[in-house]
Amino acid sequence: MSKDSNKRPLFDAAIMRQAGIECLKKLSPARQARNPVMFTVYIGSILTTVLAVQAATGHGEAPFGFVASIAAWLWATVLFANFAEAMAEGRGKAQAAALRGLRRDVAAKKLAAPRRDAAWTEVAGNSLVRGDVVLVVAGDAIPSDGEIMEGVASVDESAITGESAPVIREAGGDRSAVTGGTRLLSDWLVVRVAADAGETFLDRMISLVEGAKRRKTPNEIALNILLASLTLVFLVVCVTLRPLSAYAVSLAGQGQAVTITALVALFVCLAPTTIGGLLSAIGIAGMDRLIQAGVIATSGRAVEAAGDVDVLLLDKTGTITLGNRQATNFLPAAGVDERRLAEVAQLASLADETPEGRSIVVLAKERFGLRGRDLASLNASFVPFTAQTRLSGVDLPGRSIRKGAADAVRALAESAGIAMPGDIEAFIREVAKSGGTPLIVAENNRPLGVVWLKDIVKGGIRERFAELRAMGIKTIMVTGDNPLTAAAIAAEAGVDDFLAEATPEAKLARIRQYQSAGKMVAMTGDGTNDAPALAQADVGVAMNSGTQAAKEAGNMVDLDSNPTKLLEVVAIGKQLLMTRGSLTTFSIANDIAKYFAIIPAVFVGIYPQLAVLDVMGLATPKSAVLSAVIFNALIIVFLIPLALRGVKYIPVPAAVALRRNLLIYGLGGFVVPFAGIKCIDMVIAALGWA
Amino acid sequence: MIVTDWLQWLFFLAVLLAASWPLGLYMARVYMGRPCGLDRLGGALERLLYRRSGVDAGREMDWKTYGLAVMGINLIGIVAVWAVALLQGVLPLNPLALPGVDPFVAINTAVSFATNTNWQAYSGEATLSIFTQMLALTVQNFLSAATGMAVAAALIRGLARRETTQLGNFWQDLTRSVLYILLPLSLVLALVLVWQGVPQTFDAVIEAHLLEQPAATAPAPDGTTAAAPTGRQTLVLGPVASQVAIKQLGTNGGGYYNTNSAHPFENPTPLTNFLEMLAILLIPAAFCHTFGAMIGDRRQGLAVLAAMTILFAGFSYLTLAAESVPNPALAGIGVAAGPSLEGKEVRFGPAGSALWAAVTTAASNGSVNAMHDSFMPLGGLWPMLLMQLGEVVFGGVGSGLYGMLVFAMVAVFVAGLMVGRTPEYCGKKIEPFETKMAALVILIPPFLCLMGTALAVVAGPADAVSNPGPHGFSQVLYAFSSMGNNNGSAFAGLTASSPFWTLTGAVAMFVSRYWLILPVLALAGSLAGKKRLPQGPGTLPTHGPIFMFLLIVVVLVVGALTFVPALALGPVAEHLALFRAN
């Protein structure tokens, strides 16, 4: 699934063709019964069809043409709703088909024992069960999800993530998970299978994008109950209208009781068919938008929860700051020339391939024009960073140059009987306080000065946090840095709070603390040690590059492994709920105009004075009823793009969002049908249909 | 309508809002078990009552236990009233020697008074003895009011508490409602009424000397037992003031006399008229403040009160406006121009009568000081619609608030989605279970109303309505709107004492009371079990003007969408015909 294929046009011809066929298949009663609102329309369509047949024989309650056109438009209403759902499903299905291509049955090399040199037998990939151990060599497709037990290899995961650069996977650590369907480009791996056939990540992804396993979310159920109740009320209104109008006829001594055809038409117009017909399309489209953003949610519930999030736990590195710290300043000790410090620091970093090391070389060149030198020609030997010394540097003839964190260099100096100079200690405090990382450079055990490494806050992130704050979402920066450093970066980035020196336990504790205060928490993570926190969070987004444990603990997987994605996930969740609410409001607001069309039309025979209620001045009573029914059917089609795309989402406080959506969808829903029904009536009158 | 009428309307609203505030805060103290002042006076009696009846007031109840207690005492009440009414012929305090009541009428009356409806299928003082009025009806006036108040308190606790199953103790809520709220207020009001001339006596009758000799053929006006051509008239007396006080304060509405608050002995002066209207809306309005104080956010209570007040102001304005125009049918036949006075008492005038009609239907009171049947078509429509909205515009004591809170939850459901969050009200998430219960509460009254009306026009006695045309239809619709919403007022033209009407009415009243109370309690139980989420800029503010507006719209839209067709066949058609023809 490449990034490009995700950006499907809204009305893809192939999908529309497919949806056209699907919407007919969905006419089976079993499929219709799943949606109570549309089911009543379905029953109404059947009923009016029977009445039309009766009318055709000449014994009908109303002229055949009228009953038949009502019946036809009711069927159209049902089909349009089916079409909306089929369109939303079709977009998922197209993606699923692309994924299914990856699941070709591959042969797997099943190992007898979890060792590279153990004997293997060739078995079908889909016969593997959890716990089996397989060997994968360069060129093989990885047969199932699993955990690497042995080996390092580069893997092409573009099929899943859309990222074309191969990634390194290795045993141990946070990059030990492999996904079924990806391909090994080099080397070999021994993989323990972590999922049974049919339950792999790929399988889950396929069923999710297809919407096959889609279960209604709690909010969707609640909304359905509300809509079903409204439908029930309107059913009672229409059913009782028959005796009530018959009684009115007996009192008035003229007119006729409302026909069943008109009652069904009235009922279908009043029932919230617009939202009822689009509800499942909205849900499926929400998932689809998430997939387009490169995130796979394990359930629709997680998407809804994303809309409710109050607290975001964001990793500092990669989300708030650029991945790496950069050298920004040289701070020499008293009696040391700044140029000399820069030169020594450059020497210490020449062989250091870390981004920090490279940034020191760059800074030295910028400030003092110091060119890179060839270490070999200097007779220098590189001293790499080890966990024991926690220092790196070079040894030149007669010179031993080291750089490292304050306490490591302090230990080095003190071991040689040299005290850390007071001004360096002052620099260390100053740099740490301002959110930087002090790197101490020493020559022959004597500290010369400090290199100021700074975290670079991403451009525009501050504004995004401000938007989130306006929406009532609190951002918390999680970092392994000390509190002083963390506080400075937090202030610069504009987050609300930070968690410094964060351990997995501390993260978990912080999440629980927020949850017990009733807040919904979202976080991202990739390591196995993030798994408990990911599981505890209401929305846990695991990086696809992360471990299997992390991916299983979270309820979403970010295929691009981009921690900033959390912000988009929240927006998509909110958009999904907003679309539901807005279309519900629109649907109900429509009813007022429909009453003004239908009520005078069906009662005017009994009480002619009720004609004044016909504010739209519709041509005839029959065309009034028909126009309302046609409007009710067509509005579903007109709103399909909105349902699929979602209503426009702007990060503003709740009160502002409510006012805006109420104006557009509430007031709009009140006004639009007056104009729409009048236009349709004029067309009908012009065509002479009724 | 003259300026003073509108000033009276404004003055009434101002006094109502001013008086409800301290009372609401006082009631919050009562339900939170805090010292409220009167507990020092009544505490000993309260404890004695618990001890004697074996109630452990400290033991809290979950929603099911609470519901069982509610149902228990109410069912006992229904049986007791029924038995007393049947047996009143052999019971004491029956100076007029009235016989036992017809069993069907007695069932209707028993259910009517237990459900706080006070629909009167009987003929007031002409049917019931003093014993029945005092010991059956007045007792139920207190108990049914206190039941509604207790259920409202339980729902508020559900919203206020977190992660518990306990909603309070019903017996304690019931006792405290009566002892510290209803009794003291009734005592004060009854004394004022007595001062204004309302009888409070065990004497059965008084003889009045007529100034004018009535014609022998003159029909006896309601409220008198005989109009003998002897120049004397016998007027029935009794403990009227005490019953009238609680009938208004408890939004019961069942009068001592058949003509209800139009009778000079129930409502003798403009002052009593004003005070009784105030008494009807006082506790329902105060409950909004109680709600705000108990959940610790007064603004929430104010928002609900504001929504109710705006709705009430609108409807009472429309009713007043409808009654302030002359009846075009009377034009040119020599009747003095001006608002129609048919069916109204001269001492209240059109304004005092129209305002009362709005008050009594906004609250689920149902007492009348004029005959709504005689109102202009629109003057009858607005009170009818006020009932059809579900008695949530102030509504009954307690029941108005819990009904409105359920509407608020529905409003919050749609609005909450529109701001991109799953909906929450007062920090409680509204999920499928809450939606189900809310749907029951909102849907049952319209069901009863429409089904009852349809049943009556199909199967009811054909001679029940007294008018042909749309007005006859309005009479039927009004009756079921009243019973299906526990109001109790009537379009007088309907003859509702036949078994069909008494039994269907009893079913409608029973269902619309208890099939709402139980879902409300279930809702309270479910809400109490939830966490209370903190409010922030991302949560939908349920105290601002937008939400108030939305709440009003939801109440109106649900009511209007349900009843527009029926109303079109009744008052709307009648109005258009009347003003078109003339």
Side-chain angles (χ1 to χ4, degrees), chain A residues 286-338:
Chain A
M287 285 291 247
D288 188 50
R289 276 198 295 283
L290 201 62
I291 291 163
Q292 285 180 44
V295 177
I296 303 283
T298 53
S299 69
R301 203 183 185 127
V303 188
E304 268 172 20
D308 287 351
V309 160
D310 307 284
V311 179
L312 291 184
L313 252 55
L314 298 166
D315 269 326
K316 181 196 79 174
T317 311
T319 310
I320 296 170
T321 62
L322 295 171
N324 312 302
R325 285 171 292 200
Q326 292 179 354
T328 56
N329 224 342
F330 296 112
L331 303 169
V336 179
D337 183 36
E338 189 179 342

Side-chain angles (χ1 to χ4, degrees), chain A residues 416-440:
Chain A
I418 301 169
M420 192 79 119
D423 51 351
I424 291 191
E425 292 284 11
F427 286 144
I428 292 171
R429 277 195 300 278
E430 187 192 325
V431 171
K433 203 168 159 186
S434 66
T437 309
L439 192 71
I440 322 300

Side-chain angles (χ1 to χ4, degrees), chain B residues 414-495:
Chain B
V414 176
L417 286 178
M418 273 197 283
V419 306
R421 284 174 75 95
T422 57
E424 55 199 65
Y425 185 60
C426 297
K428 301 284 190 172
K429 281 226 174 296
I430 310 298
E431 288 170 301
F433 183 78
E434 286 74 30
T435 324
K436 257 183 231 167
M437 295 304 119
L440 279 177
V441 171
I442 291 182
L443 301 187
I444 284 176
F447 268 44
L448 293 169
C449 249
L450 288 176
M451 296 290 226
T453 309
L455 188 66
V457 300
V458 171
D463 57 349
V465 298
S466 61
N467 287 69
H471 193 82
F473 178 77
S474 295
Q475 292 177 338
V476 180
L477 183 63
Y478 192 102
F480 273 98
S481 299
S482 174
M483 293 188 288
N485 286 290
N486 293 139
N487 181 279
S489 67
F491 253 25
L494 185 83
T495 311

Side-chain angles (χ1 to χ4, degrees), chain A residues 40 53 194 260 330 366 454 542 548 651 664:
Chain A
T40 56
V53 171
I260 295 175
F330 296 112
E366 272 175 12
K454 208 173 165 185
Q548 191 67 30
I664 299 176

Side-chain angles (χ1 to χ4, degrees), chain A residues 217-236:
Chain A
T217 59
N219 176 261
E220 216 177 333
I221 294 170
L223 183 55
N224 252 322
I225 292 169
L226 206 66
L227 295 179
S229 322
L230 268 177
T231 309
L232 215 56
V233 167
F234 292 133
L235 193 64
V236 171

Side-chain angles (χ1 to χ4, degrees), chain B residues 357-403:
Chain B
V359 166
T360 195
T361 49
S364 73
N365 181 276
S367 64
V368 290
N369 76 349
M371 297 303 115
H372 296 180
D373 196 35
S374 300
F375 276 21
M376 302 294 286
L378 291 186
L381 177 130
W382 302 121
M384 193 167 354
L385 191 54
L386 268 172
M387 295 188 293
Q388 290 163 343
L389 295 181
E391 291 297 5
V392 292
V393 182
F394 295 113
V397 284
S399 63
L401 180 74
Y402 64 65

Side-chain angles (χ1 to χ4, degrees), chain B residues 52 55 136 183 251 259 281 316 349 369 386 429 454 465 477 514:
Chain B
R52 279 298 152 97
V55 167
L183 263 180
T251 63
T259 46
L281 294 185
S316 53
N369 76 349
L386 268 172
K429 281 226 174 296
V465 298
L477 183 63
Y514 302 110

Side-chain angles (χ1 to χ4, degrees), chain B residues 65 121 150 176 249 312 343 437 493 499 514 531 534 538 575:
Chain B
T65 320
R176 296 179 73 100
L249 283 163
F312 173 74
M437 295 304 119
Y514 302 110
K531 285 179 184 163
H575 169 79

